[in-house]
Amino acid sequence: MNPFTLCGTLIHAPVCGEIEVIENALVVVDAAGNIAGVYAPEAEKYAIVKETAVAANSLITLAKGQYLLPGLIDLHVHAPQWPQAGNALHLPLYTWLQEYTFPLEAKYADLEFAEKVYTSLVDTLIANGTTTTLYFATVHLEATKLLAEICLAKGQRALVGKVAMDNPAECPDYYRDESVQQGLADTRALIEYVRAMPGNENERVLPVITPRFIPSCTDEMLTGLGELAEEYDCHVQTHCSESDWAHNYVLNRHGKHDTQSLHDFKLLTNKTVLAHSCFISDEDMATIKQQRSGIAHCPLSNAYFADAVFPARKALDLGLDVGLGTDVSGGATPSLLENCHTAVTASRYLDGGVDAELPQPERGIQGSRIDFKEAFWMATAGGGKALDLNIGLFKEGYAFDAIIVDTKVAGSNLVVWAELDKAEDILQKIIYNANRQNIRQVWVQGKLVGGTDH
Ligand code: GUN
Ligand code: FE
């Protein structure tokens, strides 16, 4: 790859709750696709950096009305559930899994079907500006390998897990790991396969140990997966205290919360991402912080399947590494931007309350609200921290994973008024009204991989 320098207005969130805007910034990208430097016009080296890029014919200048943002990081997607996104949202979690989701996921024994769906999903996520996705696949080793290959070929940064689920009491006969040994062997095979994929030398695609959630796994499986996490030092993902049913199931079976149980199985590491986590206690939050694990806040999905709002304000104030997840298809949209504004909206319901019959001071949990800046941090830098990867920011040494959003696309819902809107207002408008038609370019590791210009 040839190094290049991008010149334009960048907007990012190095600190949770704060937005940094640099107009006419220069972002220097090296041959490996990493950021070699970020320069504001007042920087001493600005002129020489710009001249060097011009001389090398490698300066890319953004057009007026275009903004450079970090690529979006989706911490929770069920790739096989893409065909049912926007569907089957009327049931509680347990019934939804048994009646809709497990039958759909079982179809990925068919690699032709898997290829069709996974290709469509990865294209869609990239078009929506998602440069990194943490994926649950299915129990099938071969289809999971295929998902990893498709992400690699299409240029998305991806973390891909073969789902482990072997508990006959909770998983149907037609869809579960044959045995603990088989499930662990397939997890090991997936890790080794992804790490050795030709073209993946820079580890843009990473393997993930993926116990679906405690109910679907036997203790033997959880023990074995914890050992694999230690042996391979790779990422871990699972669902944690998502709904009343899931949370209470673990309380009944293990006599403790998901967080404590996962910790006991050595599944809480700095590379672990816990989806949902709506019902975690203060003690659980302290454990998650101590283990430096991350949380995938899935605000839209939670409205349908958790019947509770994740206390994002509290978790952020405690300094937890919280990012956002669409949870396709528990969440109906593949757009992380939509989940950004849903995160704000959900926190407003939590803060203001929902029962109009109660007097206002008793209606909600005051002090629970977050705003678009915190939501944007979660969708970018927070996601990067949760994954322990140098992504989500424009900073020297970080990967150049970025999107270029165009606010001047005709016929778009995103309309900026030059005489009124400041850069922060524009970011807020992007979060609320940008669509894939506004996403002109999507860059991963210094490579253009999508967007309407692609
Ligand atoms: N808990 C276990 N499996 C799932 C799933 O596929 N989606 C969600 N939202 N929760 C789960
Ligand atoms: Fe999920």
Side-chain angles (χ1 to χ4, degrees), residues 79-80 108 114-123 137-138 143 147 150:
Y108 291 77
E115 174 155 26
K116 196 163 63 176
V117 175
Y118 291 165
T119 300
S120 161
L121 174 63
V122 177
D123 283 341
T138 60
L147 174 59
I150 290 169

Side-chain angles (χ1 to χ4, degrees), residues 221-265:
M221 179 67 90
L222 294 166
T223 304
L225 294 173
E227 285 166 6
L228 284 181
E230 198 162 37
E231 179 182 341
Y232 284 100
D233 185 30
C234 70
H235 284 81
V236 176
Q237 62 181 340
T238 190
H239 296 87
C240 174
S241 294
E242 175 181 1
S243 69
D244 289 295
W245 169 75
H247 181 63
N248 288 327
Y249 171 96
V250 177
L251 259 180
N252 286 333
R253 183 169 129 194
H254 288 152
K256 50 192 144 183
H257 288 183
D258 291 43
T259 305
Q260 304 304 329
S261 179
L262 293 166
H263 186 32
D264 291 346
F265 285 110

Side-chain angles (χ1 to χ4, degrees), residues 78 81 93 96-97 101 105 212-213 239 242 276 301 327:
H78 294 270
Q81 295 173 21
L93 180 62
W96 173 81
L97 286 172
T101 302
E105 291 193 11
R212 181 172 205 117
F213 63 158
H239 296 87
E242 175 181 1
H276 307 286
S301 170
D327 193 25

Side-chain angles (χ1 to χ4, degrees), residues 71-278:
L72 305 172
I73 300 170
D74 190 337
L75 291 184
H76 191 51
V77 170
H78 294 270
Q81 295 173 21
W82 174 227
Q84 93 184 348
N87 233 342
L89 293 162
H90 59 297
L91 293 171
L93 180 62
Y94 179 84
T95 330
W96 173 81
L97 286 172
Q98 301 290 338
E99 291 182 12
Y100 283 86
T101 302
F102 292 158
L104 174 58
E105 291 193 11
K107 293 191 195 301
Y108 291 77
D110 176 352
L111 289 177
E112 242 175 78
F113 180 65
E115 174 155 26
K116 196 163 63 176
V117 175
Y118 291 165
T119 300
S120 161
L121 174 63
V122 177
D123 283 341
T124 302
L125 290 170
I126 291 173
N128 278 281
T130 300
T131 48
T132 297
T133 302
L134 175 54
Y135 289 106
F136 274 63
T138 60
V139 287
H140 313 98
L141 174 60
E142 293 309 317
T144 307
K145 288 181 184 171
L146 188 59
L147 174 59
E149 285 165 11
I150 290 169
C151 294
L152 186 66
K154 292 196 173 287
Q156 197 191 31
R157 188 179 304 286
L159 300 96
V160 178
K162 183 215 99 72
V163 174
M165 45 190 288
D166 70 316
N167 182 3
E170 294 297 327
C171 308
D173 294 344
Y174 65 83
Y175 186 55
R176 67 167 182 255
D177 285 307
E178 242 169 68
S179 63
V180 180
Q181 291 69 33
Q182 189 64 50
L184 294 176
D186 285 354
T187 298
R188 183 186 287 280
L190 191 266
I191 296 168
E192 296 196 347
Y193 180 82
V194 170
R195 287 186 172 175
M197 281 194 301
N200 195 28
E201 292 72 23
N202 63 2
E203 300 200 300
R204 192 168 41 69
V205 179
L206 292 161
V208 190
I209 289 171
T210 307
R212 181 172 205 117
F213 63 158
I214 292 171
S216 65
C217 295
T218 59
D219 287 359
E220 294 71 35
M221 179 67 90
L222 294 166
T223 304
L225 294 173
E227 285 166 6
L228 284 181
E230 198 162 37
E231 179 182 341
Y232 284 100
D233 185 30
C234 70
H235 284 81
V236 176
Q237 62 181 340
T238 190
H239 296 87
C240 174
S241 294
E242 175 181 1
S243 69
D244 289 295
W245 169 75
H247 181 63
N248 288 327
Y249 171 96
V250 177
L251 259 180
N252 286 333
R253 183 169 129 194
H254 288 152
K256 50 192 144 183
H257 288 183
D258 291 43
T259 305
Q260 304 304 329
S261 179
L262 293 166
H263 186 32
D264 291 346
F265 285 110
K266 298 200 172 79
L267 287 164
L268 280 197
T269 75
N270 59 326
K271 290 184 177 174
T272 297
V273 175
L274 303 170
H276 307 286
S277 309
C278 300

